[in-house]
Amino acid sequence: MSKLGVLLRTTAVRLSALYLILFSLCAAFLVFYVTGMSERLLQQQTRDAVTAEVTQIEQVYTRAGVNGLLRSLERRARQPGANLYVIAGPSGEILAGNVASLEPGLLDREGWTEKPFAYQRYTDETRKDSHVALAHVLMLDNGLRILVGRDLQEPQKFRALVRQALMVALGIMGLGALIIWFAIGRNALKRIDRMSEASTKIMAGDLSQRLPRNGSGDEFDRLSESLNAMLGRIEKLNEGLRQVSDNIAHDLKTPLTRLRNKAEAALARKGTSQRGALEEIIGESDQLIRTFNALLMISRVEAGSAAAEMSEVDLSRIVSDCVELYEPVAEDVGLRLEAEVAPGMVISGNRELVGQALGNLLDNALKYAEGATDPLIKVSLGRRDGKVVLSVADHGPGVPEDKREDVVKRFVRLDESRSKPGTGLGLSLVDAVMEMHHGALNLAATDPDGADNGKGLTVHMVFPASAT
């Protein structure tokens, strides 16, 4: 298909063509309307002027008679730009005036002529030129007939001039609109071609491609922005799926192997020793179930399946309840849990997911702060820079600065943490929950010198403040 054919099939060009046709119709109507109104206005002015002059002539006739009327008409006819004056006898023959000939029967009816009529001046007799005029016929009581009229040449010229000016102006505007139409269509076609090219690469499997934007903020840019956000989401989910596949193959191989070995050992034992082995198998199975449940929860959160359950929730109440729940657990392992919670912190979120995320952070703090020099675990909630910030700080071994981006990935555990129980999915779930809430998860050292030695860890959950 030719480029012109493709161009004519684009929505932008079709809309432009529709607007161009509508503009042309409106322009044509405007030309005829303006010229018609101008002509009617000039004719009305002509009628008013002729009517006023007829009134004056009647007054002259009443006051000075026929002789005075003839002198007045002769004087008026000699003035520059004079109107038309005719004095005719009862039979219609022209007796005096500045008109050489009229249309037959024009003087037979008193009042305004039904329509503009043709006439000749004395100066036109050699050239046979004719003019068009509008006149009023007055019949005197002695049988004489007086015609007073005005030439319509100037109104006609004015109408033609106005129409010509409007046609030229509208023609230029139409040409400009046509050029703009093709320019818009050509630009739209180029942008669609670039979007199609990027889409082809995306369908081929290159999810790093993005639809082009030119920064104009038009509908193409808004569409590209939405689709690019969707592609970024898909790319992240695919990357997470690849990571999960690799991590499952690596991290679940060990517990499954251990589970198999214990099952073989249980088969070889007899009596009560089998019960202990089966209990160990059940414990390993529960850990695997917890791992898969955590993976399922992360997948649900990242897919946004819980987004419909978002509502205005009191984060202060959630934090207070979690701290109250974990205080006895902290005391059992020799730790001290303190809370500094600002009241009335309201966010738009999911109560269960936020509570589970905070529970994961407290579980990690209790796990890694056990045996630390400072047994304090501090939970704080407040407003900072227009956002609601929930922080959990401990004084455990911490996370080195260069590893903080890695520990939020699934199944990622630092070497010094592999001796601790866990799946490596706790921070991944927290990160997914924060993303669903349009917030952020930030990790920092608790110790002021932690940027160098990594002592202690403070995890910040940063929520956007509720609009209410």
Side-chain angles (χ1 to χ4, degrees), residues 24 66 145 274 277 288 293 340 349 371 373 396 422 449 465:
S24 301
V66 175
R145 302 176 185 185
Q274 280 188 337
L288 288 174
N293 284 339
E340 197 175 286
T373 305
D449 298 327

Side-chain angles (χ1 to χ4, degrees), residues 131-194:
H131 301 270
V132 177
L134 193 66
H136 186 280
V137 177
L138 178 64
M139 293 187 177
L140 303 180
D141 51 8
N142 58 4
L144 293 179
R145 302 176 185 185
I146 307 299
L147 180 145
V148 180
R150 175 165 290 187
D151 193 280
L152 297 180
Q153 186 175 8
E154 289 186 4
Q156 289 179 343
K157 287 181 178 180
F158 179 77
R159 181 183 64 176
L161 181 63
V162 170
R163 179 171 295 182
Q164 182 180 5
L166 286 174
M167 291 297 290
V168 171
L170 294 176
I172 294 174
M173 293 171 63
L175 180 61
L178 190 62
I179 294 174
I180 294 174
W181 171 44
F182 277 105
I184 291 176
R186 187 180 181 87
N187 181 59
L189 188 59
K190 286 182 178 179
R191 295 183 67 180
I192 291 173
D193 287 341
R194 291 197 297 268

Side-chain angles (χ1 to χ4, degrees), residues 67-80:
N67 293 330
L69 176 62
L70 291 174
R71 289 193 299 269
S72 176
L73 291 179
E74 184 179 359
R75 185 177 64 255
R76 293 171 184 265
R78 288 198 300 266
Q79 293 177 354

Side-chain angles (χ1 to χ4, degrees), residues 31 39 54 86 133 202 238 258 270 360 388 404 409 414:
V31 168
E39 184 176 11
V54 168
V86 173
I202 291 169
N238 282 349
R258 195 162 55 239
K270 296 181 180 180
N360 283 7
V388 177
R404 289 173 191 163
K409 297 177 181 178
L414 302 180

Side-chain angles (χ1 to χ4, degrees), residues 32-249:
F32 288 103
Y33 176 78
V34 171
T35 54
M37 287 292 294
S38 301
E39 184 176 11
R40 284 193 293 271
L41 177 62
L42 290 173
Q43 285 189 3
Q44 184 61 42
Q45 291 177 348
T46 299
R47 287 177 179 271
D48 293 341
V50 170
T51 300
E53 195 160 7
V54 168
T55 302
Q56 293 176 3
I57 290 174
E58 287 180 334
Q59 293 174 352
V60 170
Y61 176 71
T62 302
R63 185 176 61 252
V66 175
N67 293 330
L69 176 62
L70 291 174
R71 289 193 299 269
S72 176
L73 291 179
E74 184 179 359
R75 185 177 64 255
R76 293 171 184 265
R78 288 198 300 266
Q79 293 177 354
N83 289 335
L84 306 182
Y85 301 101
V86 173
I87 301 176
S91 60
E93 70 278 9
I94 297 176
L95 302 178
N98 57 2
V99 175
S101 64
L102 294 170
E103 290 183 2
L106 188 65
L107 299 173
D108 295 341
R109 181 174 175 273
E110 188 175 17
W112 285 100
T113 54
E114 295 181 357
K115 59 182 180 179
F117 60 91
Y119 76 97
Q120 281 188 334
R121 295 178 182 270
Y122 286 107
T123 56
D124 298 332
E125 288 181 333
T126 58
R127 295 179 298 176
K128 304 300 181 181
D129 290 342
S130 63
H131 301 270
V132 177
L134 193 66
H136 186 280
V137 177
L138 178 64
M139 293 187 177
L140 303 180
D141 51 8
N142 58 4
L144 293 179
R145 302 176 185 185
I146 307 299
L147 180 145
V148 180
R150 175 165 290 187
D151 193 280
L152 297 180
Q153 186 175 8
E154 289 186 4
Q156 289 179 343
K157 287 181 178 180
F158 179 77
R159 181 183 64 176
L161 181 63
V162 170
R163 179 171 295 182
Q164 182 180 5
L166 286 174
M167 291 297 290
V168 171
L170 294 176
I172 294 174
M173 293 171 63
L175 180 61
L178 190 62
I179 294 174
I180 294 174
W181 171 44
F182 277 105
I184 291 176
R186 187 180 181 87
N187 181 59
L189 188 59
K190 286 182 178 179
R191 295 183 67 180
I192 291 173
D193 287 341
R194 291 197 297 268
M195 295 176 70
S196 299
E197 183 179 353
S199 300
T200 302
K201 294 179 181 179
I202 291 169
M203 289 187 292
D206 185 5
L207 294 179
S208 63
Q209 286 288 329
R210 293 294 181 267
L211 299 179
R213 299 173 63 246
N214 63 4
S216 62
D218 60 4
E219 62 275 8
F220 286 105
D221 268 12
R222 294 195 296 271
L223 176 62
S224 296
E225 186 175 353
S226 299
L227 292 178
N228 287 340
M230 180 185 69
L231 289 171
R233 180 82 171 174
I234 293 173
E235 184 181 19
K236 184 175 181 180
L237 291 176
N238 282 349
E239 181 63 25
L241 181 61
R242 285 194 294 269
Q243 290 180 1
V244 167
S245 301
D246 294 341
N247 291 332
I248 286 178

